[in-house]
Amino acid sequence: MTASAEPVPSLIGWGASPDADLVYRQLSTFGRATAGELFRELGMPRARVDAALDKLAALGLAVARRPPGRTSMVWAPRSTARVRREPPSPPAAGAWPREALPDVVVHHATHLGEGLRHLPSRAASRARLGELVAVARHEHLAMHPESSFDAEAAKPALAMDRTLLERGVSMRVLGVQPATPDPLSTYGRTPSDPQPAYREMPAVPMKLFVVDRKVALFPVTPTDVNRGYLEVTQPPVVAALVALFERHWAAGRAVQENPMSRLELDPREHTLIGLLAQGHTDASAATELRVSPRTVSTIVRSLMDRLGVENRFQLGLALGARHLVAPPEPDGRRRPA
């Protein structure tokens, strides 16, 4: 079975553990894998991976087979139509670790177990994220699988980004949208605004927020954020989600800075482009510099390669845009060839 293109539902409300939900999401997104591969990819202890796979097998959501010539069992996901729903465990008394998030009050949340609660709507989830942003001190991680943002999500997100970045919180975002043009410029972000570090991938496995590596939020149903989010504070589960983020961050494509913005010229290069701008040929510029015409051509080719341009016209535009060449004389006079 290959990786699925279909949205991966949350299994928490159907009796699966958070570990099983995460393992199922990994299998459904990236295809079949051995327990050892899941252990390495998710950064989750092997015993918990095995327990998660056992739970998925009991629910009819994963099946293991040993391919010919292999010693390890390979696990493949099965359709969620096969799930045997189980009621969630009742909340444990005093289960919520309030000390992990001081001075934060959650409204209208339903406890599902120790370190796990359901924020029942998009508005409640956004309000909760705002509370977490207000107390975040170190790091904010986010994954966005959407190909575009709507105004309802983008406008409050911009305000939260500014709050975090102006406070000095490290912020990394992984998404599928190209960074250029900025997808949030439509909603008011300008080039002068602080922006998080961003990497792009063809696909990410889930929508996710992780605050200070203590709290993780992700939608109950990936295709319908109006059904709310799950909030998890169980340290092993949060650590596994962070590991999932880090794995994809390492594989993501960083936004490339324009190499022209960092171009530095040595004195000979600077003199040469000034001569060429005045109308010198390679031969006459070589005479002025007391080098061979071949050396002039080599210097020009090196500049073109460093600036990523293909001809001298483009080179002139690139150098002019960086104010690295003086404009010609007002009367248009040129040096003799």
Side-chain angles (χ1 to χ4, degrees):
M1 180 176 179
T2 58
S4 172
E6 295 298 318
V8 182
S10 170
L11 306 178
I12 300 294
W14 293 350
S17 66
D19 283 353
D21 181 84
L22 182 59
V23 168
Y24 183 77
R25 193 177 298 275
Q26 180 77 5
L27 288 171
S28 295
T29 304
F30 297 103
R32 60 187 64 190
T34 66
E37 289 168 341
L38 292 166
F39 156 70
R40 290 188 293 272
E41 292 168 356
L42 294 172
M44 185 186 294
R46 178 59 184 268
R48 287 174 47 206
V49 170
D50 290 340
L53 290 169
D54 288 344
K55 183 62 175 178
L56 292 174
L59 291 170
L61 289 173
V63 60
R65 294 187 177 88
R66 180 177 286 111
R70 296 193 62 170
T71 58
S72 299
M73 300 294 287
V74 176
W75 289 85
R78 305 182 77 182
S79 169
T80 53
R82 299 174 178 273
V83 73
R84 294 193 286 273
R85 301 193 183 196
E86 298 177 6
S89 302
W96 186 249
R98 297 300 301 174
E99 67 278 6
L101 289 170
D103 303 322
V104 173
V105 177
V106 185
H107 303 285
H108 310 300
T110 302
H111 292 270
L112 298 176
E114 183 175 356
L116 182 65
R117 62 171 69 201
H118 176 216
L119 304 163
S121 67
R122 190 179 192 184
S125 304
R126 186 178 298 119
R128 178 55 173 155
L129 185 59
E131 291 177 340
L132 294 171
V133 164
V135 298
R137 291 294 177 266
H138 307 293
E139 181 183 60
H140 183 93
L141 308 177
M143 283 201 293
H144 297 296
E146 308 98 307
S147 59
S148 63
F149 298 124
D150 59 38
E152 187 178 357
K155 290 181 178 179
L158 282 178
M160 291 181 190
D161 287 1
R162 292 190 186 105
T163 297
L164 290 164
L165 293 168
E166 289 173 359
R167 195 190 303 139
V169 175
S170 172
M171 189 174 182
R172 288 182 289 157
V173 178
L174 187 61
V176 300
Q177 299 183 52
T180 305
D182 181 359
L184 292 180
S185 60
T186 305
Y187 303 102
R189 187 158 72 187
T190 68
S192 62
D193 286 334
Q195 298 187 26
Y198 181 79
R199 290 191 180 182
E200 177 188 348
M201 292 193 76
V204 296
M206 62 191 299
K207 188 168 181 68
L208 174 69
F209 301 98
V210 182
V211 180
D212 281 346
R213 304 201 173 201
K214 293 180 179 179
V215 189
L217 298 176
F218 53 90
V220 172
T221 303
T223 56
D224 187 2
V225 294
N226 291 314
R227 296 186 63 182
Y229 278 60
L230 290 172
E231 178 175 346
V232 181
T233 58
Q234 297 172 5
V237 178
V238 175
L241 290 167
V242 170
L244 181 68
F245 178 93
E246 295 289 4
R247 174 175 170 266
H248 287 84
W249 178 263
R253 184 169 65 86
V255 178
Q256 298 296 317
E257 296 180 8
N258 190 331
M260 291 188 293
S261 64
R262 300 193 306 272
L263 182 69
E264 295 181 3
L265 302 177
D266 64 31
R268 187 171 67 170
E269 290 170 337
H270 195 276
T271 301
L272 173 59
I273 64 172
L275 291 171
L276 295 176
Q278 293 168 15
H280 277 274
T281 64
D282 284 9
S284 62
T287 300
E288 292 285 334
L289 291 174
R290 298 182 180 182
V291 297
S292 70
R294 180 183 294 274
T295 297
V296 169
S297 297
T298 299
I299 295 172
V300 172
R301 181 72 257 175
S302 173
L303 290 171
M304 291 168 59
D305 290 342
R306 287 158 62 190
L307 288 169
V309 299
E310 298 180 356
N311 55 54
R312 294 193 179 208
F313 176 74
Q314 293 175 351
L315 177 62
L317 292 177
L319 293 170
R322 292 296 181 270
H323 306 288
L324 293 173
V325 59
E329 294 291 333
D331 61 2
R333 290 177 297 178
R334 294 177 179 269
R335 291 277 189 171

